[in-house]
Amino acid sequence: MFNQYNLDEIRNRARAAFIGMAIGDALGATLEFMTATEIAAKYGTFRDITGGGWLRLKSGQVTDDTEMALCIARAIVKNQAWSTEAVADNFATWLKSRPVDCGDTCRKGIRAYMLKGQLESPPNEWDAGNGAAMRILPAALFSLPDEELLKKYVIEQAHITHNNPVSDAACLCLGQLLHMTICGAGKNRVRRHVDGLVTRFPTFNFEPYRGLATGYIVDTMQTVFHWFFLGNSFEECLVGTVNQGGDADTTGAICGMLAGAYYGMEAIPRRWIKKMDSTVIAEIEIMVERLVAASPAGSMI
Ligand code: MN
Ligand code: MN
């Protein structure tokens, strides 16, 4: 089913997805909580990684989106297996390390694990933030290309903090899009899959685009879909997404993983990679290598 060529291609796209996610996080964080109008007035179009923003970040510094994804990656790589408990342990260690940022729903879920060992938050119609979707990439890489494993990993990691049908639908759809694009799917196929989500959950309809880019998973995914399908390069997709403002680091992270997987490493601007925190990029490189090697795809050749 897979040959060496496919596996090299998969590794390239998986790397681009993870590095793309970190770049989207670092690029967007400068604009988090600004409106598109405020961004346009201050920057025209914002297109360089500079740090700053409400978190006063260093240039190239990432936030909770990338850090939580790395928590999941480390748990998988260390165990060479899926363990929701290991993921939750890493979230707890991370929260105790006083991260630069942590969303309210994430904090609540991690605290419930720390206090009661709760691995699955109770269903909650209000827990429809984007915090479960932003960190799913390692679960998608480790399950390549098995859809049943994808579903199990993606939903189990999500429910540690977010147990909500709209969040679940977005997480699963995004995971499937990552599988498809990493395996080389074209935009038409991606589009058909997104249309399927919109049919089942019309709330995700993004045409016409309403321009909302909040932390609500529906607004987040509409923004990512709109700019992913409108853009003709990794850079265009990302610049469009983060200039929408709102939860710009998270929309940037999600668009970055999807556009990275779709366009591959060659499409990621070097000026952005050079600005990134080199320690984070080095860890991402190792994690991607090991996640793909340990996935079903890694043992199919
Ligand atoms: Mn963040
Ligand atoms: Mn955010």
Side-chain angles (χ1 to χ4, degrees), residues 88-138:
D89 280 336
N90 283 359
F91 285 170
T93 305
W94 169 76
L95 187 60
K96 282 186 269 184
S97 77
R98 299 182 164 273
V100 63
D101 192 20
C102 178
D104 293 340
T105 309
C106 287
R107 188 184 302 273
K108 187 180 69 175
I110 298 167
R111 283 213 175 126
Y113 174 71
M114 290 162 74
L115 292 170
K116 310 180 274 188
Q118 175 183 288
L119 280 173
E120 180 167 30
S121 292
N124 185 333
E125 68 170 303
W126 305 107
D127 288 348
N130 55 22
M134 71 187 188
R135 62 186 189 225
I136 70 164
L137 182 59

Side-chain angles (χ1 to χ4, degrees), residues 25 32 63-65 101 249-250:
D25 183 6
E32 195 177 22
T63 73
D64 49 343
D65 311 63
D101 192 20
D249 61 320
T250 305

Side-chain angles (χ1 to χ4, degrees), residues 74-188:
R74 289 179 201 129
I76 298 169
V77 166
K78 186 177 171 207
N79 292 284
Q80 288 292 300
W82 179 259
S83 160
T84 313
E85 202 163 357
V87 170
D89 280 336
N90 283 359
F91 285 170
T93 305
W94 169 76
L95 187 60
K96 282 186 269 184
S97 77
R98 299 182 164 273
V100 63
D101 192 20
C102 178
D104 293 340
T105 309
C106 287
R107 188 184 302 273
K108 187 180 69 175
I110 298 167
R111 283 213 175 126
Y113 174 71
M114 290 162 74
L115 292 170
K116 310 180 274 188
Q118 175 183 288
L119 280 173
E120 180 167 30
S121 292
N124 185 333
E125 68 170 303
W126 305 107
D127 288 348
N130 55 22
M134 71 187 188
R135 62 186 189 225
I136 70 164
L137 182 59
L141 299 185
F142 182 55
S143 57
L144 275 167
D146 185 319
E147 212 181 316
E148 286 307 308
L149 290 179
L150 174 77
K151 187 170 183 176
K152 171 182 159 66
Y153 302 162
V154 160
I155 300 299
E156 284 185 13
Q157 72 79 23
H159 285 188
I160 298 172
T161 56
H162 295 65
N163 189 350
N164 175 280
V166 180
S167 166
D168 284 356
C171 287
L172 190 58
C173 177
L174 178 62
Q176 290 162 338
L177 295 174
L178 290 165
H179 269 198
M180 275 180 196
T181 47
I182 289 170
C183 293
K187 263 198 189 172
N188 288 338

